[in-house]
């Protein structure tokens, strides 16, 4: 597992692709999450905290992989990026009468990012990729 992660992280094009993927995913979340009735429809399959934790965990992983630096630095960058993106998502939701901003949703976003960032930092610190950066 760590050898695969090391190989994946060393490819230079993956950094840009992961960051672009994170931005694209975030814009998709913002756009589709504010379509009238879309949130209620998907809520029938999974509650809000589950959706938030999965979506923002993936965003954190993409940001971690796309970042440069040591394992801890990349984890911190991922958590900070998710904190800003989650706050932006809640801010945008506050403008729609059928949606609402909730600090608990933001806390779930940041919690998922902390968990994913910690696991990825632990895995990445065990690989030789940090010594080459």
């Amino acid at each position: 597992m760590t050898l695969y992660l090391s190989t994946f992280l060393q490819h230079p094009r993956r950094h840009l692709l992961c960051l672009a993927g994170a931005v694209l995913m975030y814009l998709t979340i913002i756009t589709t999450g504010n379509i009238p009735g879309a949130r209620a429809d998907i809520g029938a399959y999974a509650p809000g905290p589950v959706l938030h934790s999965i979506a923002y965990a993936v965003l954190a992983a993409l940001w971690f992989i796309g970042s440069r630096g040591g394992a801890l630095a990349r984890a911190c960058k991922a958590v900070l990026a998710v904190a800003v993106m989650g706050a932006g998502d809640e801010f945008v939701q506050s403008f729609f009468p059928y949606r609402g901003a909730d600090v608990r949703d933001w806390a779930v976003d940041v919690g998922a990012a902390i968990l994913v960032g910690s696991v990825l930092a632990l895995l990445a610190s065990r690989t030789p990729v940090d010594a080459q950066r």
Side-chain angles (χ1 to χ4, degrees):
M1 170 84 177
T2 57
L3 179 62
Y4 176 74
L5 180 64
S6 174
T7 304
F8 184 77
L9 292 174
Q10 287 176 355
H11 197 282
R13 288 189 182 167
R14 297 257 162 79
H15 298 290
L16 185 57
L17 288 174
C18 286
L19 291 177
V23 170
L24 181 63
M25 182 177 170
Y26 176 67
L27 293 174
T28 303
I29 289 169
I30 295 291
T31 305
T32 59
N34 292 308
I35 295 172
R39 174 61 187 92
D41 290 344
I42 199 165
Y45 299 103
V50 172
L51 295 173
H52 273 265
S53 61
I54 292 170
Y56 284 90
V58 171
L59 284 173
L62 288 171
W63 208 269
F64 180 92
I65 295 167
S67 297
R68 298 201 184 271
L72 183 60
R74 293 196 320 259
C76 289
K77 290 175 188 178
V79 171
L80 288 173
V82 165
V84 169
M85 287 188 275
D89 183 16
E90 297 305 316
F91 178 72
V92 168
Q93 288 177 18
S94 70
F95 290 104
F96 293 92
Y98 49 87
R99 296 296 312 261
D102 190 351
V103 73
R104 291 174 294 191
D105 286 344
W106 179 79
V108 169
D109 302 342
V110 174
I114 290 170
L115 180 66
V116 167
S118 299
V119 169
L120 289 176
L122 181 64
L123 290 173
S125 68
R126 294 180 180 203
T127 63
V129 73
D130 285 338
Q132 297 173 356
R133 288 183 184 243

